[in-house]
Each structure stands twice: as structure tokens, then as C-alpha cells.
Amino acid sequence: MAAMPLALGAPSHHGSSSFSSTVSSVRRAVPVPEARRTSSNARHRVSTVGCTATATATTTTLSEVDTVGHRAAPRGFNLTSSNIKMKATVTVHMKSFWSGLLEITSLSDKADWLYHWTKDLLVREWLQLELVSELNPEHPISSYAKYSGTGADEEFYTYEATFTVPASFCPIGAVRVVNEHYSEMFLGEVRIFPADQSPLSASATLFHCNSWIHPSHISPDKPRTFFPVTYSYLPSKTPGGMKKLRHSELLDIRGNGTDERKPHDRIYDYDVYNDLGNKRPVLGGEKRPYPRRCRTGRPHYTQGQDTDWETRATDKIYVPRDEAFTEIKEAAFLRELVLSVGHSLCTLKFKDMEDHKSQSFPSLAAIDALYEVDFRNQPSQSQPHTHAEIAGVMIGFVVDELERLLHGAHLPEEICRFLKFETPEIHDKDKFAWFRDEEFARETLAGMNPLSIQLVTELPIVSEVDGPSLITKELIEEQINGVMTAEEAMRRKKLFMLDYHDMFLPFVHKVRMLEDTTLYGSRTLFFLTGDGTLRPIAIELTRPESQDHGRRSSPSPTKDEWRQVFTPGSSVTESWLWQLAKSHVLAHDTGYHQLVSHWLRTHCCVEPYIIAANRQLSRMHPIYQLLHPHFRYTMEINAQARQMLIDAGGIIESAFSPGRYCMELSSVAYDKFWRFDMEALPEDLIRRGMAVRGEDGKLELAIEDYPYANDGLMVWDAIKQWASDYVKYYYPGAKDIIDDHELQGWWTEVRTKGHEDKKDEPWWPVLDSHESLVQVLATIMWVTSAHHAAVNFGQYPLAGYIPNRPTTTRKNMPPEMGGPDSKEMRAFLEEPERVLLDTFPSQYQSVIVMLILNLLSSHSSDEEYMGTYQELVWRKEEKIKEAFDRFKSKMVDIAAQIDKANMDPKLKNRNGPGVVPYVLLRPSNGHPEDEKTVMGLGIPYSISI
């Protein structure tokens, strides 16, 4: 007999994998075989188990199925006697003995674990299977599955069960599983087939469970129910015997809205953001509208407590069990996190952290020394050259401490390099790119936040908060050398703007009361040149009137509003002031990117779609199967973000503008600007004036060379066509859409519960036609895949070099602080570079930002890319398979077009000396591990970290 699985007595085996970036679905908890990552034809690896046909007096065949959506009669057996023998193979992954033991803290619980583990090892009957008939579900047939060997994938073990099925049983509509082992196990797949046939035969009924099954002693009355993966059923097409099971599964997932959730629960419910920390307002409700998150049932924090953050922040936040990272994903995440933390290890070594958090870099060369670039950027010997001065406090502290422990021995170069970060693409291409106006402007179209640039449609520019801008027509005409009037430039769509004036202005005084930070409202004006590139021509910074303008420790009298327009002047002083003004704008843009373009629009607003889909759409529903790949890992990533990124005192508040008010800013943006009907790419471009729709329905871009829009529209069209083909197959007419109570229930819940604060808005689409359903589905698919890829995977390549994308600013503009004789202006005139370095994030903030951006921008070993994988049910339906193949072919073609565009010297926003090619929306060619693109491997299906 084969040996017992090592999963019960030794650590599980994990192959090498690099950390990813994407959010979860039920299937996703499975460690991903190599075949799944490289081929659209082998997503699910089959664990083939040799089986000897059991001799019976009966001959059994399972007929093939009719078209899923239009199946006239249930699939059945051709029976020649009253009973037949059936076999089942089950693939299972279990936590190792050691991992289970280490999760337990008390000695008594460890002893209990050891006792039950030994008992389970002797009994060996760990899985009970129940076959459920499509026509008579009240009388299932049960059997125990026993260990039979290791599967094709080393992470999984195979179990077998034998059933005697009566002739009256009819087709198998579901399988119910009870885990009688003491610990949870991961159920991969179940195959049920006639005993005299192969498990790979066409007669086999396949269940891709891909779900954690908790032990029966935790929940003895609730076996898990799984439905075959080879068929999709609209509610009206569901076999009669399965309707009750289908509905009861949804009821179990919804829960009752009470109690604190346990780690093994599969409950999806809604709650407001009331767990970000003490002294932080609740997000969600009339006062501060916000999308809803998954309800955990944890006690809400108390506003009156004195601590600055929630003491429970270190506890793991509940997500439904199948939404959590796989063990491989978790291991890869932790490995990447540990490696990243290694770069900034010294942050844990300071005896008094507060003494170092505000320390600036001593020089630009000290910033360069953070990266592993063969030490090409080391300062000359005439400059300061101690470790602390060259590499900054972070790396220098670690190196000095290690060398002290080694009694003065110098560390090998390899160890020093381990402590450095990878050189970001922008710095590797052109180490001076961050200083150039051309790059500053180019990144508004092809950077990590290409979603804020907008067309100027009115002059003069007027604020809803404080009136007209100081960027006058005369100033515009002076900056464009009088080649045309300001009105003509606006009429010819030559003027564009980054507008963070009204959004940031209400937060200016509150932020300035915080230590070591500042804030302005800002506007940045660009002029479209003849070669298709933007040229920045003016930056307006505003500090509103204040009655307590000074720091908390040194309040000053009432001060009038201060605002000034900076231009790329010809003098040295004007040039340095212009560079400082750009730093403030970049901090605004980077903060807005992280809080709105990234967190709010992709992570936060998507979570309600996932919760509603699980509560209202059966796993058998074709729309659930279409959206499911796009939801992978999202809820787990969002939970981890609430734990270490957006929580009170977390990384976002510590290192991004506007500090502790970051989440309030996100709420304001949701309230004022977020609309579902504007989240589709074409509508977003039109809203910002970056495109108009012609009479033929096609979009005409205001800037012809706008890489995000150029590439994005090709991807959008491909996604929408795939969604359209899919919907047409399952919904022949509008009535089918209207009568689908699960579909309508999902969309109603998205609007009324997930986005409750906007439930009465008139712009919500109504699912009453093919066009409206396709638009809704394509929008969700776009946001979770391409939109997220565009704002996520370029973060470290572009913002990992702090001068290129500072995340916050710490010093006011020198002119604000007084005239030419003021202390601040004298310091600026004497050492402008020192003022710039003091304006940038501190060393502590910079290293924390680099650490997290490196983590967020990474791709995962188990990532699934758009067009490279299709669900098994899609391959079973010929028309759906053909539609997916067209989608896949289109994505390959788009990749080729993007590669061609990136090599076109006429497209100066994506090609030229030192220019980072735009590949954030470049699809994979089907073999992402072979891709050698600059910033990504392709477009993942779902949101990645």
C-alpha cells in the first residue's frame, strides 16, 4: 500500500514562486500548477488515479450534454440492471502537521491536536462524500473516501470512494462533502465515473471545488455542496432537484448579519469602514459616503480612546475562507515582504525612532546609493563618504552595526547589495529624467496616474471654492510666446490641466497642523505642442486664509490667503522655484493616485461587486463564472490594506499626502466624482474632455499620442466584445435578462447595499437589455483588470525613485514664508538643493514608500493573465469557446500593436532617449513567464497587490 501523505507528518512542499500582485475567488485557493500558468488548454491539472474496473452485471454510459442554456432533458444513465458501481477520485491538499501545530498557542490545545492527529492517522476515513441526484436530491448516496496515493501535483493527494448507485438515481447533480479530519483541508477536484471506465473518460462528472473544507466538529450539520463545473445554469434552466440546493447554498453564504466572524466562515455581508483606527471617522453613511466592505463582526473602535490607532490592527482581519491567499501566495507574499523589509531593516533598530523619522537625505547621491547599480552612483571621495552619509540613515545604520558586531571587518559587497533596492526603471533609463519638464508632462499621459489629466474648457479658470485662478489669459499667451490667443488655444484643444485645487484646499490647514508636512491646493497647466507632447507652462499653489497658520507649537495670527503662479522661468532662481513647485504637484498627484485612482476606484469600489456576486449568484450561474476570475484575491488584499496601509498610523498616512486625512480625501472623491457609469474607459475619457464620440460611435482623442487611452481602448473593445458574445449566448432576449432573479438580485444589492450611499442616483444602469448588461459587465471586467494594471504595476518603476514622484512634501514654498530677506528665502538662495531635499519625503518615509511600492508592483507566480486561461465550462460550449478564442487572438494582436507603437519614433510620449516604453496595458502573449517587458508581464485578470 502507498505511504500515507506527508502532509500529515511533514511540511508541505512549495515550489519557487515570486510575489504577485492581484483579489480572490473561491477557486483561487488552490496552488497553481505550471500548466495552468502557461496554457489556456490546461488550467486545471487532473490527478490521474489508476483504477481497476469493478466487475458488475451492468453496462453504464453517461450521455453527452446538450447545449447548456437550452438543455431539454437531464443527462442520464443507460442502465441494463438495477445497480451500477461508481467510483470517485478526490484531490486534497492538507496543511502539514507542523504548520497545524505551530498555529496553536496553548499547550493543552497542542496536546489535543496531537491526539486527534494520531487518531486520524489510524482511522484514515477523513472524507465522506454524498452523491446527490438531479431528480431526487432528498436521498443522497454516501461513502467514505480513503487515501490512495500522491496526485500528479505534489501539493495534492488522492482519495478514492466507491458507490453502488441504483437505477432510479438518475444524473448526478451535486456532491456534498464532510471533512471528518481534525483540521481543515483544501478540496481540489472530485471526479465521479463508472467503475469500469477511466476517471478521464467523457462519462466522468467533474467538480472543481477549489475550496477549504473545515472540520465537521466545528460545524457538524453543514456539509459543503458542490455542483459540476462543466455546466452553467440560469436559475430558470436549473434541473428541478437542484433548485433547492442552489438556493440553500446562497442562504448559507449570506449569513444572518450577526456575530463575529470566525476564520473558517464563508459569510459575505456588508459593513461601513469603522475599523480604521481610533480618532478616525467612520467612512460610509450620509456624512462621509463610501463603498461598503466585508463585515467582520469585530467590535467597533471607540472614538474616546487616547491611542492614535486601533490596538486590534495587528489581528488578522476576517475574509471569507476561500477569498484568502493560497499557501503558495501567502508564502510568496511573506518572502517578498521579508526581502523588502531587509532593505530597510534598520528602521527596526533605532532606539528612538522619532529622532530619525524626519531626517532628510544629505544629497541626491545618497538617494542614488539606495539602489543596487554596481555602485556607479557613489559620490566622489571629496564628498562625505561615511556609510550614514552616503547610503543615508537606513542602510548606513545596518551596515555600521553589522561591521561593529564583526569587530570592524568590512562586509562583502554582496551583503551590501542585498540591502539595496532594485533600480527603478525611470532612473535606470535616465537618472536625470525626474528633473526634466518633458518627463513631468509625459507621465500625465503614460505614467502611473494617467487618469487625472483633463481638457481646459473654460477661461478664465474658476474655482467653486475661492473664485478665479491667477493663471490668466495674459499669462498663458506669454508662456506660449504669443503663437495664438488663449481663447484660440482652448478652442483648438491645446490646453490641459491637472486640477487638485478644490479637492485639496479644504485639507490644507488641517494638514499643516501636523508635524513635518505641508499642503497646498494646486493647478498645473499644460500646452499641447506640435509634436504631440505636453509642455507645462504654469503651476498655481494656494494656501487659503488662516486664523492659525503656524504649527501647532507656534501659532501665528490670522493670515490672508497666499497664492502664487510659478512658471519655467529663464533665471536660476525661477528655475529652482519651478522645480520646488513641481515637487508639490507631484506629491498631490501621487497621493491622489494612491487614494483615488488606485485604492478607491479599483480595490474599494470593487469589493461590493464581489460580496453581492457571492450572495446572489450561484456558482452555477454563467455571470458568476464570467466575473469570478476578475475577483481573485481582492478581498484578502483589501483586508491587508486595512491592516497596514490605510489604517490609522499606517503607511499611507505616514508617507503620502494628505497624511492622516488620506481616507477622508478618498471619501470626498467618492462623494463628488465616483459614478459607475463613468468607470468605463470611453466614458471616463469623455468626462475629462480627453475624447469625444463621433457620429459613427468611435472615439476621437484630444491628444493623438495618449498611450493610456490608445492602448486602453483596444483592450476595452476586446473585453466588451467578449462580454457581448458571452451574454448573447446565455440570454437570447431582453426578457431572459429581466426574468433572471439572481442577476437582478445581484445588481440591486450592488446598488442598494454595496454602494448604499449612492443608491438613489439616477445614473445607475438598469439591467433590461443586452446592451446594458454588457456595459455593466465590461466595466467591472475593465476596472479589475486593465484599469488596475495601469495604476498598479508602474508604481515602483516610476515612483520607486523618490525625486521622480515624491509622495508628500514637508516644507512650504520659500516665497510664502516672507520676502527676500526672510530666513527661508536666504536658505533657499544659498542652498537650493538642500531646500529641495528637505521638501522631499524624509529618509524614513522614502524607504517605507519604496518598500511598499516594490511589494505592490510585483507580479505573482500564480497570476492569471487576460486571454491566457478559460474556465472548463467555456471549453465545453462550442460557441463560448470560439468567442474566447477570438478574445485571446485579439489580445495577442493588441500586444503586437503596442510593441510596434513603442518603437515608433514619431510617438514621443512612448519612444525616445531615456523614455520608459508604455507596457502597463500590454496583454500577455499567452506565455507570461517568457515575457521580457519593461514594467509588467501582461494584464492580470484581477486586482493584484
Side-chain angles (χ1 to χ4, degrees), residues 655-682:
F656 287 79
S657 289
R660 65 175 293 159
Y661 303 102
C662 281
M663 294 306 290
E664 289 187 54
L665 177 77
S666 180
S667 173
V668 171
Y670 177 74
D671 183 29
K672 291 182 177 296
F673 301 115
W674 189 87
R675 293 178 47 160
F676 181 86
D677 63 330
M678 296 295 176
E679 289 300 283
L681 177 61

Side-chain angles (χ1 to χ4, degrees), residues 41 95 140 156 168 191 201 251 355 438 451 466 589 660 697:
N41 297 320
K95 291 182 177 178
F156 284 81
S168 59
R191 286 180 178 268
S201 67
L251 291 180
D355 289 344
E438 294 83 356
L451 287 82
D466 64 351
D589 190 58
R660 65 175 293 159

Side-chain angles (χ1 to χ4, degrees), residues 42 54 365 429 473 498 628 638 655 906:
T54 304
K429 282 278 186 180
K473 298 178 183 178
L498 286 179
H628 194 216
N638 289 2
K906 293 181 294 184

Side-chain angles (χ1 to χ4, degrees), residues 399-469:
V399 172
D400 289 342
E401 284 296 300
L402 290 175
E403 291 187 347
R404 181 182 63 80
L405 291 173
L406 294 173
H407 305 288
H410 291 291
L411 292 179
E413 186 174 286
E414 291 75 15
I415 295 179
C416 293
R417 291 184 179 184
F418 169 78
L419 298 173
K420 292 176 178 288
F421 287 88
E422 179 184 355
T423 307
E425 296 288 343
I426 185 67
H427 193 52
D428 194 45
K429 282 278 186 180
D430 180 359
K431 65 179 295 183
F432 300 111
W434 68 276
F435 208 82
R436 294 189 288 108
D437 287 353
E438 294 83 356
E439 183 62 23
F440 172 62
R442 190 190 75 86
E443 288 186 23
T444 66
L445 302 172
M448 70 179 194
N449 185 33
L451 287 82
S452 289
I453 190 75
Q454 59 182 289
L455 181 70
V456 175
T457 56
E458 291 183 354
L459 288 176
I461 300 168
V462 178
S463 164
E464 295 180 1
V465 178
D466 64 351
S469 166

Side-chain angles (χ1 to χ4, degrees), residues 88-90 128-133 140-143 161 163 169 172-178 187 189-192 205-209 213 223-229 242 245 249:
T89 61
V90 185
Q128 182 183 4
L129 303 183
E130 291 183 350
L131 306 187
V132 182
S133 167
I141 299 174
S142 64
S143 178
F163 303 85
F169 192 76
I172 299 170
V175 61
R176 305 179 77 189
V177 182
V178 178
L187 198 64
E189 69 176 29
V190 177
R191 286 180 178 268
I192 302 169
T205 303
L206 177 61
F207 301 81
H208 277 154
C209 308
I213 312 293
R224 287 291 306 278
T225 302
F226 298 97
F227 303 103
V229 297
M242 293 295 97
L245 268 181
E249 268 292 288

Side-chain angles (χ1 to χ4, degrees), residues 360 518 580 583-584 806 808-812 834-842:
S360 303
T518 191
L580 286 170
S583 297
H584 285 281
T808 189
T809 48
R810 300 183 296 137
K811 298 295 180 183
N812 297 331
R834 165 52 43 208
V835 174
L836 181 63
L837 290 167
D838 289 342
T839 300
F840 286 161
S842 69

Side-chain angles (χ1 to χ4, degrees), residues 92-118:
V92 172
H93 169 77
M94 286 181 289
K95 291 182 177 178
S96 72
F97 167 78
W98 297 109
S99 64
L101 190 64
L102 290 172
E103 288 177 357
I104 303 170
T105 55
S106 72
L107 288 176
S108 61
D109 289 342
K110 286 181 184 291
D112 198 38
W113 160 266
L114 193 58
Y115 165 76
H116 285 284
W117 174 80
T118 306

